[in-house]
Amino acid sequence: MQMHALKPTFKTAFIHSLPILSGFVILGNAYGIYMRSLGFDIYYPMILSLIIFAGSVEFIAASFLIGAFNPLYAFFITLMVSARQIFYAISMLEKYHQAGKKKFYLISATVDESFALIHAHYDSLDKHIDKPWYMLFITVLLHLYWVIGASLGAVLADFLPFSLKGSEFAMTALFLVIFLEQWLKEPTHESSLIGIFVTAICLIIFGAKIFL
């Protein structure tokens, strides 16, 4: 496809991605600052945000890096936290199949927000918009926003006028906020209440050290 034909596709993808920009930059900042509070050099959050691109998992990966080496545990906790994205990718396979070699990046970089944007706009795109490139631009832009946010947080951590001690609670707060957002959006709360109940039972059975 010629470059001039990609311009309207990129413009459309950029406009659609703008609502996610502020959220990714702010949360990315929190991640970069959190990594620095754990004692990591500035380039760690930059590199990890580039190669992982899974917000919740990146916060968890930070704790893996400062704990005992346990690859099996790391694998299962990552799988459990990001399992929903497997179903996102499966539901998008038909669309991604049309993207040729781009599909490999699209599948691996699928996140909640890219799935939501593509799913919401795909069928209503104008005829002059190249859909495979649109999906790629959406995914790349969101990935870029996250890397920028994490990098800014890593840099700004050195200039904060207060101590970062205790900011490890940011990961717990992240999951709490996600849960509360879902709670407010639910018409009924049966699934959330079941989740709380099962969580409490598992905590009692397995204890805090091996509870997941």
Side-chain angles (χ1 to χ4, degrees), residues 75 78-93 96 107 110-112 115:
F75 170 77
T78 301
L79 178 63
M80 295 181 71
V81 170
S82 296
R84 68 191 186 282
Q85 294 174 358
I86 297 175
F87 299 99
Y88 291 165
I90 291 174
S91 68
M92 297 292 285
L93 281 177
Y96 286 168
I107 293 173
T110 295
V111 294
D112 299 357
F115 170 79

Side-chain angles (χ1 to χ4, degrees), residues 11 17 22 25 27 57 59 62 68 76-77 81 86 90 108-109 124 136-137 144 148 150 155 171-172 174 182 196 203:
K11 181 179 179 180
S17 72
S22 59
V25 170
L27 188 57
V57 174
F59 278 88
F76 279 112
I77 193 171
V81 170
I86 297 175
I90 291 174
S108 65
S124 60
L136 181 67
F137 286 144
L144 181 63
I148 291 173
V155 173
M171 185 173 70
T172 304
L174 170 67
Q182 292 300 317
I196 293 173
L203 180 60

Side-chain angles (χ1 to χ4, degrees), residues 33-45:
I33 293 172
Y34 173 65
M35 286 288 289
R36 298 301 307 281
S37 73
L38 296 179
F40 291 100
D41 288 332
I42 192 172
Y43 57 86
Y44 273 88

Side-chain angles (χ1 to χ4, degrees), residues 86-106:
I86 297 175
F87 299 99
Y88 291 165
I90 291 174
S91 68
M92 297 292 285
L93 281 177
E94 184 177 348
K95 295 181 177 65
Y96 286 168
H97 181 70
Q98 303 173 20
K101 293 182 179 179
K102 304 180 191 69
K103 66 184 177 184
F104 298 108
Y105 171 71
L106 291 172

Side-chain angles (χ1 to χ4, degrees), residues 118-138:
I118 294 172
H119 184 73
H121 297 291
Y122 188 89
D123 293 328
S124 60
L125 291 172
D126 292 338
K127 292 182 179 180
H128 67 279
I129 300 299
D130 186 288
K131 290 184 176 180
W133 278 99
Y134 171 83
M135 295 187 293
L136 181 67
F137 286 144
I138 284 287

